[in-house]
Amino acid sequence: MPSFELGKDPALTDGLYSLLKRRGFFWPSYEIYGGIAGFYDLGPMGSLLRENIEKVWKDIFIVSEDYLLVDCPSITPEIAFRSSGHLEKFSDQLTRCIDCHTPFRADHLLEGYVDAPDLFSPQELETALRENGIKCPSCGSELGPLEEFNLMFRTSIGPGGEKTAYLRPETAQSIFMDFSLLYRMNRERMPFGVAQIGKGFRNEISPRQGILRLREFHMAEGEFFFDPEVPDFPPFERFKDSNVRLIPNNDPSSTKEMTLGDAVERGLICSEVLAYHMGLTRSFACEIGIPIEHMRFRQHLASEMAHYARDCWDLEVELSSGWIEMVGIADRSAYDLNQHSTGSGEEMTAKRLLSEPVQRSVTRIEADLKVLGPIFRGNAGKIARELICMDASGIRSIKDKGEPVIVELPDGSVHKVPTEAVIISEVEEKVSIEKYTPHVVEPSFGIDRLMAAVIEHAYTEMEKSPLKGSDEEEMGPYRVLRFDPRISPIKCGVFPLMNRDGLPEIAKTLLSDLKKIGLITYYDHSGSIGRRYARMDEIGTPFSITIDYESKEDHAATIRSRDTAEQIRVPIIDVPSKVLELMDRYKKE
RNA sequence: GCGGAUGUGGUCUAGCUCGGUAGGACCGUAGCUUCCCAAGCUACUUGCCCGGGUUCAAAUCCCGGCAUCCGCACCA
């Protein structure tokens, strides 16, 4: 059966994208007003397809891997992104040529002149541009002043709009902010994962390539928290021998094939935890129907890796438009938790049991509330709390000099605490628990891109059907979307061969039996039977059931398979279970 | 953002040079047909990207905007 090969002939996907609109997968949003780049509507088929892809994702991350599922808001107050670094990181400083108006990223212009310009502040950039005498690379003219372009959509909360907020560019941050709660919900056991499926928003400068680069997109993210001092990750055993294609960043021009186990041993992949999630990602992609030959993992170049990332690998899938990133799997170390911990003042740590409890003597500060109370009244408790957190040796030397201890409260007020209120003692302490900030590995899935990949790889064009008089000149090729039945938007079509003589009644009874077991169905009585099959093939419905005149006598129906066009005759009463069985069997083949 | 190309029913397109009723095919809908792989027959629905200008008259010419595609730039 002739099918086309992706990447070999992009012209073959031409017909695909009109099919997708015609049959209700997706199309550009706000078309009646001319459309806006970077936004797409998912139609009836696209919505079901996306939901099914997410279902498979949940089967892996929530059901098999026990990730905790959360669902947090898209609108996020500014402070959160100040801590996370997005306010800076997602703002590019642009400068424009005063003659040709071409915009450039200021830090890119400084590559090669200074070290790590991406970490520079706007002022530093401005100075560096001037000191190095940088001119417009395309025409040589002077460059204008810096402009800020933030990739986050800005909005405000409440009336008056004084509270600035942004639409989240990734779902991850909420998970970090909720870390302590989630850690407790997991009963303080490590390691554990948290997952979120939702929308992300990025105000891309110039979205292209249709649904592959959106300003509002679906993402499924996992955050896997673990103890960085535990090098082994036993579950990794499962993927140790999985073969993968890798493009390591020390040699970006060649693809290497090896097992994930080897890659960790050779130090290409930084940890077993990261490699494990690459394995998970690969099996997820396989399950939704992306062929393994069209997958590879590419390591971020040192220059494109975010400054907090220890290591980062992208799953890329080959499409008609080339190799496209689908999933980013990053080791973000303790960066995010540290940022939010510092930003909010909340402790974000996990506890680790020391293998041997440690005896040590500790200098402890106590506050004598009997003294503090009468002096400071309402503030006494706060001062005491602040006092016992201060550096013990420093306090001791102050106390030894007989000077009062200066305590500053979070509200900014400063208080002089008399020496006699400060008690310093040496205690022997048995420490059996140690606190640490967990590291995190983040697999982040672009659902819309994966959906496009699934569609392209399920797409098959065939020579026209051999029988009857269809005319390929007019019809174009015969098109089939060969989805895995698990992700097909519609699971089965139900057709009366003729729209009369009691056939519709039989078909509708069967239809409701299929609905009862939760299958999404499609009833169709219009057009010839072949046309109805063709409609189902175009939306990737794996099974079509036809009630014919014989059904009235033998109470049986035919089930026709999308991929083979084969038909089997099954008693009507057994059709629902037979369909489930066929769906299940498809997976294993 | 820049340069180039493009924009006609749901889809693909003819018409634009040379202004004068917008045409086809597919898809879709209803009906006929014992109809199992886009068959046939009948009927039907749906359109000139938006705004302005020139003109008696604009899909067509001019200006502006928007969008798409390609290249540059940008980005995951």
Side-chain angles (χ1 to χ4, degrees):
Chain A
M1 204 167 299
S3 72
F4 80 110
E5 259 188 273
L6 271 170
K8 296 275 155 59
D9 185 358
L12 284 169
T13 48
D14 281 358
L16 171 60
Y17 283 86
S18 72
L19 178 155
L20 293 175
K21 183 173 184 185
R22 190 159 43 83
R23 292 301 184 190
F25 284 87
F26 50 77
W27 55 84
S29 302
Y30 313 114
E31 264 194 321
I32 64 163
Y33 291 112
I36 297 184
F39 298 93
Y40 270 74
D41 292 348
L42 294 189
M45 296 306 136
S47 302
L48 289 171
L49 179 61
R50 195 200 88 223
E51 196 174 67
N52 293 338
I53 290 171
E54 288 175 358
K55 234 179 246 168
V56 175
W57 193 87
K58 279 191 201 167
D59 273 348
I60 291 177
F61 283 88
I62 309 300
V63 178
S64 306
E65 300 294 315
D66 293 314
Y67 271 56
L68 309 175
L69 186 66
V70 299
D71 192 350
C72 309
S74 300
I75 294 179
T76 310
E78 183 169 40
I79 178 109
F81 291 129
R82 191 167 299 153
S83 297
S84 71
H86 283 85
L87 219 51
E88 271 185 76
K89 195 184 70 175
F90 260 65
S91 281
D92 292 336
Q93 295 295 325
L94 297 184
T95 174
R96 222 174 271 277
C97 169
I98 56 169
D99 279 337
C100 69
H101 306 291
T102 313
F104 299 96
R105 271 183 59 170
D107 55 340
H108 283 192
L109 292 175
L110 287 164
E111 284 310 332
Y113 291 92
V114 294
D115 277 341
D118 50 317
L119 302 177
F120 278 30
S121 71
Q123 291 80 359
E124 289 171 317
L125 285 170
E126 190 118 49
T127 319
L129 283 172
R130 208 167 340 102
E131 283 174 356
N132 290 284
I134 293 175
K135 299 273 195 292
C136 171
S138 64
C139 75
S141 292
E142 293 293 321
L143 293 166
L146 287 184
E147 306 164 31
E148 182 172 294
F149 183 80
N150 196 293
L151 260 22
M152 292 193 293
F153 286 100
R154 191 216 283 263
T155 183
S156 63
I157 300 172
E162 69 285 354
K163 184 135 193 151
T164 302
Y166 295 88
L167 295 175
R168 62 183 178 194
E170 58 174 12
T171 67
Q173 294 305 322
S174 299
I175 295 177
F176 299 130
M177 290 183 261
D178 284 344
F179 171 77
S180 294
L181 281 173
L182 292 162
Y183 175 53
R184 262 205 72 76
M185 269 154 224
N186 202 49
R187 299 178 43 223
E188 305 196 350
R189 285 185 294 206
M190 294 289 282
F192 73 106
V194 182
Q196 182 164 203
I197 300 177
K199 280 186 167 181
F201 307 81
R202 293 179 190 180
N203 199 1
E204 300 286 353
I205 296 172
S206 157
R208 289 277 171 88
Q209 302 193 83
I211 202 162
L212 294 180
R213 187 129 157 257
L214 297 172
R215 288 184 163 131
E216 175 171 346
F217 52 96
H218 296 92
M219 55 205 308
E221 292 191 301
E223 305 297 334
F224 188 79
F225 297 101
F226 62 98
D227 182 343
E229 288 186 15
V230 179
D232 293 340
F233 186 59
F236 180 58
E237 199 56 40
R238 178 180 153 198
F239 294 120
K240 238 184 179 124
D241 300 321
S242 296
N243 252 302
V244 286
R245 295 167 72 194
L246 301 178
I247 304 183
N249 62 13
N250 57 18
D251 183 11
S253 55
S254 74
T255 309
K256 298 183 172 60
E257 196 150 345
M258 67 181 85
T259 64
L260 282 170
D262 278 348
V264 174
E265 243 162 67
R266 293 195 216 170
L268 292 176
I269 300 174
C270 79
S271 69
E272 292 193 352
V273 175
L274 186 66
Y276 178 78
H277 284 85
M278 289 167 70
L280 272 187
T281 298
R282 196 191 67 140
S283 56
F284 165 74
C286 282
E287 275 202 44
I288 58 174
I290 296 171
I292 220 152
E293 323 82 73
H294 294 278
M295 282 184 216
R296 70 184 188 193
F297 286 101
R298 195 177 68 85
Q299 189 175 33
H300 276 205
L301 300 173
S303 61
E304 69 185 320
M305 214 168 323
H307 56 286
Y308 53 76
R310 235 177 104 209
D311 194 5
C312 185
W313 290 81
D314 284 347
L315 172 72
E316 297 185 332
V317 175
E318 193 176 20
L319 300 184
S320 59
S321 42
W323 287 93
I324 306 289
E325 176 215 343
M326 299 282 148
V327 184
I329 308 150
D331 184 327
R332 301 175 70 131
S333 70
Y335 178 82
D336 301 277
L337 290 182
N338 281 335
Q339 288 294 301
H340 284 297
S341 179
T342 312
S344 66
E346 292 290 316
E347 183 175 313
M348 293 186 173
T349 55
K351 287 169 227 156
R352 149 198 318 139
L353 217 56
L354 292 177
S355 47
E356 293 214 357
V358 179
Q359 290 284 343
R360 61 181 184 193
S361 66
V362 182
T363 311
R364 180 171 291 169
I365 308 170
E366 285 176 82
D368 189 343
L369 280 166
K370 263 182 261 158
V371 181
L372 293 181
I375 306 174
F376 298 108
R377 310 211 159 216
N379 275 334
K382 288 182 214 158
I383 290 171
R385 236 170 287 138
E386 211 53 44
L387 189 66
I388 60 176
C389 293
M390 293 175 80
D391 174 55
S393 55
I395 302 274
R396 165 166 299 178
S397 63
I398 295 170
K399 186 180 161 76
D400 289 346
K401 288 183 214 155
E403 290 170 10
V405 179
I406 309 297
V407 174
E408 187 178 345
L409 291 184
D411 64 16
S413 60
V414 177
H415 307 271
K416 282 186 188 172
V417 178
T419 315
E420 64 269 26
V422 182
I423 304 159
I424 296 185
S425 55
E426 296 289 325
V427 231
E428 282 296 304
E429 204 176 54
K430 194 179 88 174
V431 182
S432 50
I433 275 180
E434 182 175 31
K435 289 181 178 174
Y436 67 100
T437 307
H439 282 210
V440 69
V441 158
E442 174 191 88
S444 171
F445 295 70
I447 299 293
D448 310 87
R449 290 182 172 189
L450 285 159
M451 187 168 76
V454 165
I455 289 172
E456 279 206 15
H457 285 286
Y459 183 58
T460 312
E461 288 183 354
M462 287 185 283
E463 307 299 329
K464 69 168 189 173
S465 38
L467 302 173
K468 282 241 169 151
S470 70
D471 183 347
E472 195 181 346
E473 294 281 308
E474 288 165 3
M475 306 295 302
Y478 194 89
R479 306 186 162 112
V480 185
L481 285 170
R482 299 188 167 184
F483 296 132
D484 182 303
R486 279 179 80 192
I487 65 158
S488 289
I490 307 280
K491 307 301 183 199
C492 52
V494 178
F495 316 138
L497 189 61
M498 296 288 286
N499 194 26
R500 54 191 276 189
D501 304 326
L503 301 187
E505 286 73 10
I506 301 174
K508 281 180 175 162
T509 309
L510 172 61
L511 187 73
S512 69
D513 287 344
L514 290 164
K515 285 171 185 277
K516 271 181 206 152
I517 58 167
L519 294 178
I520 301 221
T521 52
Y522 197 92
Y523 181 83
D524 192 352
H525 63 82
S526 115
S528 72
I529 193 69
R531 178 177 299 266
R532 285 179 264 174
Y533 289 150
R535 283 197 271 250
M536 290 298 107
D537 289 341
E538 281 196 341
I539 58 171
T541 303
F543 307 109
S544 297
I545 299 145
T546 303
I547 302 294
D548 56 22
Y549 280 90
E550 270 173 59
S551 303
K552 289 164 74 168
E553 315 300 329
D554 65 1
H555 306 289
T558 54
I559 302 180
R560 176 251 188 200
S561 300
R562 175 194 64 203
D563 298 344
T564 59
E566 277 167 16
Q567 301 193 0
I568 51 172
R569 190 94 183 151
V570 175
I572 292 175
I573 192 166
D574 296 334
V575 166
S577 56
K578 189 71 191 176
V579 169
L580 290 181
E581 185 199 315
L582 288 171
M583 283 176 66
D584 198 49
R585 199 193 298 164
Y586 191 99
K587 239 187 293 178
K588 282 150 200 152
E589 277 161 9

